[in-house]
Amino acid sequence: MKEGLDLSAVGQLKTTKVDRQKRIYYINRRSSFGHTVLISTPSDARSFSEALQRMKKTDDHGLEPAIPSEVKVDRVDVNGRRAAVSLRLSASLGIGDAARMTEAILLTAKEFGLFEVTLAVDGRSALGPYPLGERVRVPAGPNMELLTAVGP
């Protein structure tokens, strides 16, 4: 018996290993449809904590960091499929940018096999629609606010 799958239109298809590179998220304020969106790019970060530090740097393609430079990532603890992230924010971070940053953190957590993230920020109870101090499930995909928005 031959190893693989015989497809009449293609021929013999053998098993192949697929290396799945993790992705991290950046902000694109110049999207072609006029909305600020999260964009993922490949990363060689080896841990969720390292990925968050890389998300504070500008990407090679002109995308903005999803975690602004004035935001300090104080602590990242990973326990199984859950993580806890403590942040220190500047007062100037707007609600929209805070929500996008949080969504980017959650999506990056998903890339590292995490299902839930608990975020902590002194003096705040939420970052956009995301409650602080509670477990938040990672979203199915990016830019959910745009996908669920009701347009004119």
Side-chain angles (χ1 to χ4, degrees), residues 26-84:
Y26 288 91
I27 293 175
N28 180 3
R29 293 191 192 277
R30 296 173 281 175
S31 68
S32 60
F33 57 96
H35 294 281
T36 300
V37 295
L38 291 174
I39 302 287
S40 66
T41 63
S43 173
D44 60 356
R46 295 181 185 172
S47 68
F48 178 50
S49 180
E50 182 182 343
L52 294 182
Q53 293 307 318
R54 290 183 186 211
M55 290 168 60
K56 292 177 62 80
K57 298 177 179 152
T58 305
D59 143 278
D60 295 336
H61 307 290
L63 299 172
E64 292 179 31
I67 301 175
S69 59
E70 64 269 13
V71 173
K72 172 126 176 58
V73 179
D74 282 335
R75 195 181 87 244
V76 178
D77 294 321
V78 176
N79 184 3
R81 298 291 193 162
R82 296 184 178 125

Side-chain angles (χ1 to χ4, degrees), residues 20-25 40-43 51 107-108 111-112:
R20 185 175 181 273
Q21 190 171 20
K22 305 234 183 328
R23 303 177 72 75
I24 61 177
Y25 285 80
S40 66
T41 63
S43 173
L107 289 164
T108 300
E111 289 288 317
F112 285 85

Side-chain angles (χ1 to χ4, degrees), residues 1 12 14-15 19-20 31 38 43 61 64 66 77 84 93-94 96 106 112 121-122 129 131 142-144 151:
M1 177 178 225
Q12 186 74 13
K14 295 190 178 186
T15 307
D19 290 329
R20 185 175 181 273
S31 68
L38 291 174
S43 173
H61 307 290
E64 292 179 31
D77 294 321
L93 188 65
L106 293 170
F112 285 85
V121 177
D122 286 342
N143 307 302
M144 294 306 288

